[in-house]
Amino acid sequence: MSSTYRAAAVLSALVLMMVSCNQNKQLSAYRATNTDSILFELGRAQEYEKLLAYTDSFERTGGLTEIDANRWRGVACNHLGQQRQAEYYYKKVIDADIHTDHDKNIYFKSVRRLAEILVKRGEYEDGIRVAMEAVKKGEEWGDNSPKDHAIMLKAIGCCQLNLGHINEAAKSYETAYQDYLKLLVGNDTIRQLNDAIMGANDITLDYINTRHFAEALMWTE
């Protein structure tokens, strides 16, 4: 009887532990989703000072990982016009250890924004380095989305164009455009159409800004 009782007690304890672990996982997933939703809404409302404060608070209480927190800080600083600070936080994301699919997603979002900052500032050599490194990692990981790949190739093309590498830029732009078209296959929503149109528009503007008007006309068509 004593042996049977002990076995039953151990079994009960194991069941309770499994239930508890499952509940903790569900709670963690809920917190992560809820936290992102709150921060996203603050960004949409352009409450960027609040976004920074909430990000700090959520990280302290375990609602955000360090990589997530630095990405949101980069977002807030970028919209507040604090490009150097945004660059700092995006670089912290890029230099972090990437483990999960979620980390990879945050990495690509951060690289995209960092590349845009560098391009706008005219730091084309740094911009091309950052973007090419991201493309390489995406190929190694095997899960680079067409949109991420397109934005990186578009940034690379812009840097190549401004550095005088005209033929290389044309190839990068064409690859980026083909990626944008892939977004529309079976998924031609307004958002996907907007991404593709704005991608082609950005390429056209790059050619106009560098006074390559024949290429700009081609992309307009």
Side-chain angles (χ1 to χ4, degrees):
M1 290 293 292
S2 176
S3 176
T4 303
Y5 176 79
R6 283 199 297 272
V10 170
L11 181 60
S12 297
L14 286 171
V15 170
L16 286 172
M17 285 175 63
M18 290 173 66
V19 170
S20 176
C21 287
N22 189 46
Q23 288 176 336
N24 286 338
K25 286 180 182 177
Q26 290 177 343
L27 183 59
S28 295
Y30 169 77
R31 282 175 176 165
T33 303
N34 198 41
T35 298
D36 275 339
S37 297
I38 291 170
L39 296 177
F40 180 81
E41 288 302 321
L42 285 172
R44 191 162 68 170
Q46 300 182 12
E47 297 276 2
Y48 300 117
E49 294 287 359
K50 276 188 179 180
L51 178 55
L52 279 173
Y54 274 58
T55 296
D56 291 342
S57 178
F58 284 141
E59 186 183 22
R60 281 196 302 270
T61 57
L64 277 179
T65 63
E66 183 179 0
I67 192 171
D68 276 305
N70 283 326
R71 177 249 170 162
W72 281 112
R73 290 185 184 109
V75 170
C77 290
N78 193 28
H79 284 289
L80 287 168
Q82 301 168 4
Q83 267 72 47
R84 291 292 182 183
Q85 278 296 98
E87 180 182 349
Y88 169 77
Y89 288 121
Y90 285 139
K91 282 183 176 177
K92 284 180 74 70
V93 172
I94 292 168
D95 293 337
D97 291 329
I98 308 297
H99 299 292
T100 66
D101 288 340
H102 178 74
D103 291 345
K104 292 174 185 176
N105 185 40
I106 297 303
Y107 169 86
F108 284 120
K109 286 180 184 293
S110 299
V111 173
R112 280 161 41 183
R113 298 302 182 193
L114 176 58
E116 288 173 359
I117 289 172
L118 294 172
V119 168
K120 285 180 181 177
R121 211 159 56 209
E123 297 181 11
Y124 302 118
E125 290 183 356
D126 285 341
I128 199 171
R129 177 182 53 79
V130 166
M132 281 186 164
E133 188 176 305
V135 169
K136 183 180 178 182
K137 281 192 175 182
E139 291 170 351
E140 290 173 356
W141 292 335
D143 56 0
N144 209 353
S145 76
K147 182 175 179 178
D148 289 329
H149 197 251
I151 292 173
M152 289 297 98
L153 264 294
K154 184 159 60 70
I156 290 169
C158 181
C159 293
Q160 290 169 327
L161 188 60
N162 280 278
L163 290 170
H165 307 308
I166 312 303
N167 293 333
E168 291 90 338
K171 293 175 184 176
S172 296
Y173 284 141
E174 181 58 33
T175 303
Y177 184 63
Q178 293 304 317
D179 282 328
Y180 280 120
L181 293 181
K182 288 177 186 176
L183 294 175
L184 305 181
V185 178
N187 190 26
D188 55 346
T189 61
I190 292 297
R191 180 170 183 176
Q192 303 290 15
L193 285 167
N194 183 68
D195 286 339
I197 292 167
M198 292 306 296
N201 183 65
D202 288 344
I203 294 170
T204 306
L205 286 173
D206 287 346
Y207 277 118
I208 291 172
N209 290 335
T210 54
R211 304 184 67 79
H212 290 85
F213 300 120
E215 290 87 347
L217 281 172
M218 181 192 74
W219 277 98
T220 301
E221 292 297 326

